[in-house]
Amino acid sequence: MNLRRITALLLRYLLLYRQSWTRIMEIFFWPVMDLLVWGFLTSYLLQVGSSQVPALITFLIGSMIFWDLLYRAQQSVTISFLEDVWARNLLNIFVAPVTIGEFLTATFALGIIKVLVNGLVLALLAWALYAFNIFQLGFTLIPFVLSLMLMGWAMGMVTVALIMRWGHAAEALAWGIPFLVQPLSAVFYPVSVLPVWLHPIAWALPSTYVFEGMRQVLATGQAPWRMFWWSLGLNLVYLIASGVFFRHIFGIVRQKGLLAKLGME
Amino acid sequence: MVIEVHDLVKTFNGTTAVDRLSFTAGRGEILGLLGPNGAGKTTAIQMLLGIIEPTAGSIHVFGKNIATHRQDILQRLNFSSAYVSLPQNLRVMDNLRVFAGIYGVANWREKSMELLRLFEIDGLAARKTGQLSSGESTRLHLCKALLNDPELLLLDEPTASLDPDIADKVRKLLRRIQRERGITVLYTSHNMREIEEICDRVIFLHHGRKMAEGPPRDVIAKFNQQSLEQVFIRIVRDGELQSSEQKPAQ
């Protein structure tokens, strides 16, 4: 063991952080998100009585499946883009007659396929292992899943834009961005568990309506359509906003020659 | 004219990468873009491809402005570079299938096999791209670059990773295909012998500025040198040669 060599290697890793705000953020990001989610969930479990535990488990399994569908939709956009970055194929795509809209639509389509396959596998596993039959709820949950997919696409566009702008250093955002909204989306617990001052932020997220709606469907068998329409409306706003943001960043990227750099690194 | 570049300028954070560059390329011509690292060759090519936005100036390809007709132009040209790859985990034929789809190539299977045969790698059609050697991989990139029967081919150091034997084969093949199909080629390379062999005309860039232009033999004569390599060294070492009495770019 040579201390000089160990120090040199340590320095090599530390120097990465000096140049990258995204890497510094990552140090704090995951622990903070974990603390928030599990902390709020614990508060929720303390609030409800032990008689409600079986219903809670159903909610948690449903939440986990829905969360994963949102995550897959976002990942379909970001990982598809990153696959081309990692393969150094990005320039081949962007110097072909492919429009940004076509590129994104292809990744959205991949998202639909992934969500369908993923949803089916998780639903079957949940049924086989935990006797949780999501299909028992019929088609009422489908619109909510579609709404989650729209939010995943919007987050995917924002993530890809940030990676284009800040390059490889921002790649961790591909996995991190969805977890940024997780604590506030009331995925595993109702909005009421959150501090009151966080409620407006939570209700500004389309996912919050979906997860609250899902819990209502699971609890009552009735679809709260008002929640669905709110999530759909907000999703349309977010989709348009993320499209505008993507276009704006793409313009900056073209001015600075960052796409070419990212594609050839 | 296939390419018309007029007073092209690109600055990055105050540094000028391309400085009032103007040139044209005619149908069926092979134009070499030469210069040391950082001369502005790749930036110029990327502006031609529309992935970098010029600070000033205009680029017309096939008579159309790249700023307003990018998709139409890209449909009729193609690009290959030693610095980009095709997805390694896809099979050779799958990669060609994807790009045939993007460029709307009819009979993609026949077209792909025809190109793979032309570059003598048809036996590798079912192999994963990641398993190809550098030479095979370069030839696959050229197959991809010829899939859409381009009228203009932008080749950024296409033979950079090849051994002299394969590089020679690739050059001869490219020259043959270019003659048969009348393709215009914009070619960058650091191999001056290659440029002398393949290019009809060359443009020397240094610090983003055009320092010399003409057929390789004329440029060599103009600088009283024996080869393009010597011209290259002289231009780079003399630095701002445009201020000298020769003013070769004029």
Side-chain angles (χ1 to χ4, degrees), chain A residues 36-37 40-41 43-44 47 181-187 189-203 205 208 212:
Chain A
L36 291 176
V37 169
F40 288 133
L41 180 61
S43 304
Y44 178 45
Q47 279 176 23
V181 300
Q182 193 190 42
L184 298 170
S185 291
V187 179
Y189 40 79
V191 174
S192 57
V193 172
L194 296 171
V196 177
W197 62 272
L198 280 176
H199 286 198
I201 302 171
W203 288 117
L205 296 170
T208 305
E212 288 283 12

Side-chain angles (χ1 to χ4, degrees), chain A residues 83-84 87-99 102 251 253-257 259-260 263-265, chain B residues 10 12-13 42 46 49-53 70-71 74-75 79 81-87 99 102-103 144 156:
Chain A
E83 291 269 17
D84 279 325
R88 290 201 301 156
N89 185 45
L90 199 65
L91 280 195
N92 283 328
I93 300 289
F94 281 95
V95 302
V98 175
T99 63
E102 287 164 349
V253 163
R254 279 187 63 215
Q255 272 173 18
K256 292 181 176 284
L259 193 66
M264 288 173 119
E265 270 176 351
Chain B
K10 183 65 200 177
F12 294 112
N13 299 323
T42 302
Q46 287 168 351
L49 289 164
I51 49 173
I52 292 183
E53 201 173 285
R70 187 169 178 262
Q71 305 311 125
L74 293 180
Q75 181 63 46
F79 166 75
S81 166
Y83 306 107
V84 298
S85 302
L86 290 165
F99 282 96
I102 288 173
Y103 285 98
K144 172 251 152 192
D156 189 14

Side-chain angles (χ1 to χ4, degrees), chain B residues 30-56:
Chain B
I30 302 187
L31 177 64
L33 216 47
L34 315 179
N37 294 328
K41 309 180 296 287
T42 302
T43 305
I45 284 192
Q46 287 168 351
M47 284 192 279
L48 275 165
L49 289 164
I51 49 173
I52 292 183
E53 201 173 285
T55 306

Side-chain angles (χ1 to χ4, degrees), chain A residues 59-127:
Chain A
F59 291 158
L60 288 177
I61 294 173
S63 299
M64 197 284 295
I65 293 175
F66 266 48
W67 170 254
D68 203 71
L69 298 182
L70 170 66
Y71 190 59
R72 292 303 138 204
Q74 184 265 358
Q75 293 274 288
S76 70
V77 181
T78 52
I79 301 300
S80 302
F81 177 80
L82 282 174
E83 291 269 17
D84 279 325
V85 172
W86 296 327
R88 290 201 301 156
N89 185 45
L90 199 65
L91 280 195
N92 283 328
I93 300 289
F94 281 95
V95 302
V98 175
T99 63
I100 291 294
E102 287 164 349
F103 175 79
L104 290 173
T105 306
T107 63
F108 294 167
L110 180 71
I112 294 172
I113 296 167
K114 276 188 173 176
V115 163
L116 282 175
V117 173
N118 212 41
L120 192 67
V121 169
L122 289 180
L124 286 173
L125 275 175
W127 176 69

Side-chain angles (χ1 to χ4, degrees), chain B residues 114-124 136 139 143 169 173:
Chain B
E114 178 196 321
L115 287 165
L116 291 173
R117 268 194 297 274
L118 192 65
F119 283 94
E120 299 173 11
I121 50 169
D122 48 313
L124 306 174
E136 290 163 348
R139 282 181 279 171
C143 289
K169 278 186 182 170
L173 203 51

